Amino acid sequence: MAIQTERFGDLIGVGFSFMKRVQLIKPSISAGELIASIKRMQGPGPAPDPALLMPDTGTLTVSGAGRTARAARRWTIFAGLVSTSTGIYLASQVHGFWGSVLCAIAAVMTLRAWTRRSVFKQELAEARAAWEKEVASWLDRGSPAPFNRRKSELLETAVAYTELPVREHRKLVSLDQEKRRSQLERYLQQKLISGADIKGVGSRRVKKLASHGIVTAWDLHQRQVTHVSGIGPSLAEELQRWSREVERTFTFHETAPTDHTAIQRVKNEFGIQRDQLERELAKGQEDLQRFCEEATMLRAQAPQPMVSAFIRLKQVETDISYIKGRDVRTLP
């Protein structure tokens, strides 16, 4: 999409004339339809409770590890009770020392029973952490959050795209308004210090100035010369006076065309931006479609790692419930 302009030589005036004669770039129909399509797209909606997607675990049976742990815990508690009773009897009826030893053994057995419970609580904590991690991963892909984030980014991109013609127009107008400065620069660059009659500035000082890149009236217009060896304040003032006199002889040509190279540079700059934004919008629409499809698929069938984490958690809960004879979630 190129900016169409009439003959540069027909431009009259500064700024306003340029604004009337420049046909602004408008977003292409395809880009406009793309933006409208993105605005119309709806996300996958709130995510369901992930537990509702999990298989029924009501038929889970106690694992071998759970049965072994329950039997070992029962025997440990039974042995502890027997040892405690025997120790109390020995301590009170036979020998205090041996009774105390037996009571200590009973305490160790009881501690072992509690330690076995702690091992299963640690396994439960790990299973819950694995389940929560899978749920977080599922929500990151199956919830509307990724879709909403991407759509918000694309709407900002759409705003930037629709503002491109206005920004380009303003920059082109500014080029036209800077035409005077451009003409003045070219005029002063043609006025050489070496060909001027400046009091106190001979060929030696001209060479000294040239060695510092100061050759034309434009150089004097842009830079200070007091840092040049042999150029004091009085000579610097003479040089600046000559530069101002030359500038007063400048005539601005309003009808002269704006620099075509500068116009083309602006067109190329905004053309690149336009292409980048159009590609981003096209890719973004594909991203939104992919997010919706992925969310639909994940809600229809939960990923196997998530299912495995859920079954593991329920298996540990079942084992601990069997060991304790009550729901594990009531454990302190």
Side-chain angles (χ1 to χ4, degrees), residues 88-100:
I88 293 173
Y89 172 77
L90 289 176
S92 60
Q93 301 295 327
V94 181
H95 195 288
F97 172 76
W98 292 110
S100 299

Side-chain angles (χ1 to χ4, degrees), residues 87-234:
I88 293 173
Y89 172 77
L90 289 176
S92 60
Q93 301 295 327
V94 181
H95 195 288
F97 172 76
W98 292 110
S100 299
V101 170
L102 201 55
C103 285
I105 294 174
V108 171
M109 290 182 176
T110 303
L111 179 62
R112 288 186 61 191
W114 281 101
T115 302
R116 193 175 301 276
R117 176 190 179 191
S118 299
V119 170
F120 271 81
K121 287 185 68 175
Q122 176 63 29
E123 187 173 348
L124 174 63
E126 293 175 356
R128 279 178 175 164
W131 163 246
E132 290 170 358
K133 179 180 178 181
E134 290 297 330
V135 168
S137 175
W138 181 84
L139 287 174
D140 187 54
R141 295 179 296 156
S143 74
F147 178 94
N148 292 339
R149 285 195 300 267
R150 189 69 176 112
K151 185 174 181 179
S152 178
E153 293 172 355
L154 290 172
L155 292 178
E156 292 179 2
T157 302
V159 170
Y161 183 85
T162 55
E163 289 178 350
L164 275 180
V166 175
R167 291 175 49 218
E168 182 175 12
H169 181 63
R170 287 174 180 169
K171 195 155 188 177
L172 288 169
V173 169
S174 71
L175 285 180
D176 195 60
Q177 293 172 340
E178 291 175 1
K179 184 162 48 177
R180 184 186 189 285
R181 175 182 171 83
S182 178
Q183 290 182 18
L184 174 62
E185 178 180 349
R186 289 195 298 271
Y187 179 78
L188 295 181
Q189 284 178 344
Q190 297 171 3
K191 304 302 179 179
L192 302 177
I193 298 174
S194 59
D197 183 14
I198 305 173
K199 182 180 178 181
V201 180
S203 59
R204 185 173 60 84
R205 287 196 171 103
V206 168
K207 291 179 181 179
K208 179 67 71 173
L209 288 167
S211 67
H212 287 77
I214 301 172
V215 178
T216 67
W218 177 253
D219 297 328
L220 293 172
H221 188 75
Q222 295 293 103
R223 302 168 59 183
Q224 296 292 328
V225 296
T226 51
H227 68 284
V228 179
S229 176
I231 305 296
S234 59

Side-chain angles (χ1 to χ4, degrees), residues 246-261:
V246 171
E247 185 174 352
R248 281 194 291 269
T249 64
F250 164 72
T251 300
F252 173 51
H253 300 285
E254 289 188 358
T255 58
T258 303
D259 182 18
H260 178 70
T261 302

